[in-house]
Amino acid sequence: MQEATREFPGWMFERDRSGWTASQGDLRLTRPSLAALRALLRIHRATRRK
């Protein structure tokens, strides 16, 4: 989780029974694993830069 926090500053990460959730403001993304969530955030970051 520390690695994810460094890679995605401004995002909050939390884990519960349904998996991992990253939140930033009103946006919340949930995936079953932290690896899957980080992959999704990389795509999200790349599309926002365009």
Side-chain angles (χ1 to χ4, degrees), residues 2-50:
Q2 291 174 347
E3 216 175 286
T5 303
R6 280 193 300 271
E7 186 177 2
F8 303 101
W11 287 87
M12 301 283 295
F13 294 88
E14 56 189 347
R15 183 178 183 200
D16 62 19
R17 292 183 303 173
S18 65
W20 285 88
T21 300
S23 58
Q24 185 182 53
D26 292 338
L27 182 59
R28 293 177 58 84
L29 303 170
T30 302
R31 290 295 178 268
S33 70
L34 185 55
L37 182 57
R38 290 174 71 189
L40 179 63
L41 286 171
R42 287 182 194 111
I43 293 168
H44 176 72
R45 179 175 58 196
T47 59
R48 291 191 65 157
R49 287 183 180 169
K50 290 184 178 183

